[in-house]
Amino acid sequence: MIQRQKQIDFARIRKAIGYLSENYKSQPTLEQAAEHVNLSSYHFQRMFSNWAGISPKQFLRYINITHAKKLLKEDKASLLDTTYELGLSSTSRLHDLFIDIEGMTPGE
């Protein structure tokens, strides 16, 4: 029975990671992601953190910064275009994202 529950939990987290990865531009809320896998926000937050090692919000931030780096480096996108592509509200959000995770500005 415990093994079966672990399989169910694993499937839910895999589904949640897919959902967050596919919908990162719309910045889904904790409630939206939890609803997608049929859990309460509280249980989803705890389960995701236990399985993934980071919170759903932090996971979204890592997806965003990975995509931002690709846009800025490989696609030579502007800061404004990158901000728009990520679904962020302003370039200051992009700046904050880089400072918080990378410890440097997007230009650096």
Side-chain angles (χ1 to χ4, degrees):
M1 176 144 170
I2 292 174
Q3 187 63 26
R4 178 72 181 132
Q5 187 60 50
K6 285 183 179 183
Q7 290 173 340
I8 292 169
D9 293 349
F10 176 81
R12 281 182 167 154
I13 298 307
R14 183 180 61 210
K15 185 177 179 182
I17 287 172
Y19 173 77
L20 293 171
S21 297
E22 292 171 11
N23 295 287
Y24 72 93
K25 286 184 187 179
S26 65
Q27 296 294 296
T29 64
L30 179 65
E31 291 77 17
Q32 290 169 324
E35 183 178 312
H36 187 74
V37 294
N38 301 315
L39 289 171
S40 70
S41 299
Y42 173 78
H43 285 103
F44 174 66
Q45 173 83 23
R46 286 188 55 208
M47 185 184 293
F48 191 96
S49 296
N50 285 338
W51 279 86
I54 58 175
S55 71
K57 183 176 181 177
Q58 193 66 22
F59 182 77
L60 274 174
R61 291 173 55 91
Y62 285 122
I63 291 173
N64 276 334
I65 199 155
T66 300
H67 190 61
K69 285 194 243 181
K70 179 193 174 295
L71 291 171
L72 292 168
K73 185 176 182 179
E74 296 172 16
D75 297 347
K76 306 284 191 241
S78 70
L79 292 178
L80 186 59
D81 289 341
T82 301
T83 300
Y84 176 74
E85 177 68 22
L86 294 177
L88 300 175
S89 60
S90 69
T91 54
S92 65
R93 296 283 181 213
L94 180 64
H95 183 270
D96 292 345
L97 181 68
F98 269 86
I99 294 294
D100 291 347
I101 294 176
E102 297 292 320
M104 62 180 72
T105 66
E108 293 172 324

